[in-house]
Amino acid sequence: MKFSHGVAARIALAAAGGLVLVGTAGAAVAAEVGDQDVDVNVDITAVEEPGSLSLTVAGTSTDLTEGDSGDPTVRQFDGELPTVTVTDTRDPASISPNLYWYVVGQASAFEGPNGATIGADKLGWTPRLVDGSDTGLVAEGEPVLTTEDETTPETEGDNVGLVDQELLYITLDSAAVRETGETSWTADALLTLKTGVDVTPGSYSSTLTLSLFEDSSAPGQP
């Protein structure tokens, strides 16, 4: 049987005192009479979380397959971005005025066989709002074309690919969209890779990074 240091010391002291009292009497040996267990239970309730704003993606990869580019000097490969979901479980009253959230995407260069690469400027997308707000407070971003696409007055400045962060979707008022009772909004995008016909054949891979931001605008600004 084990005792704490304090209990052991008190027992030793009592035993020593007993030896003084009885003089030459021998030390007594304690005999265990019995023991009984006691279960100690406690119910701990979950802490009520204040809610959060978060981003999830339905998959970690997607494949592009070749299609018809309509241009004999260009090869085209198409696919779809896995569904992206923004979830907001915060109390609308706790969200500061003028806050808005948005999701952007940026791709790395495609790496292929024997050091071959395809620049991220060759990858474009067309965002699509899959399950947005019925109030119109959530909107998809504009299509981003590749540098292989023909530049027209309407598309000038959009032929950049996903080299830098490009908008997938956005709400201009985080609090207002939560006040509707909605808690999640989803989007995806059509992906298009365009290359020259002289592209090195083989398997290529790129990483498309999706990021959720929440920012504030000055009063009176969108």
Side-chain angles (χ1 to χ4, degrees), residues 73-172:
T73 66
V74 175
R75 297 182 69 176
Q76 179 172 323
F77 306 85
D78 303 308
E80 292 187 4
L81 182 72
T83 301
V84 179
T85 301
V86 172
T87 301
D88 192 351
T89 56
R90 298 173 295 179
D91 183 343
S94 71
I95 303 174
S96 300
N98 304 315
L99 283 179
Y100 63 97
W101 57 254
Y102 55 98
V103 178
V104 294
Q106 180 178 18
S108 66
F110 286 82
E111 297 183 358
N114 302 317
T117 61
I118 301 172
D121 61 300
K122 308 297 184 184
L123 179 66
W125 71 7
T126 302
R128 302 182 300 188
L129 200 57
V130 178
D131 185 10
S133 172
D134 294 334
T135 63
L137 293 173
V138 179
E140 63 203 26
E142 294 293 325
V144 176
L145 304 179
T146 77
T147 53
E148 291 287 342
D149 286 296
E150 180 182 358
T151 300
T152 67
E154 292 77 18
T155 64
E156 188 173 1
D158 294 329
N159 299 44
V160 294
L162 299 179
V163 174
D164 295 318
Q165 292 180 333
E166 298 291 344
L167 181 64
L168 179 64
Y169 66 133
I170 185 173
T171 182
L172 294 179

Side-chain angles (χ1 to χ4, degrees), residues 14-30:
L19 288 175
V20 172
L21 289 174
V22 299
T24 59
V29 177

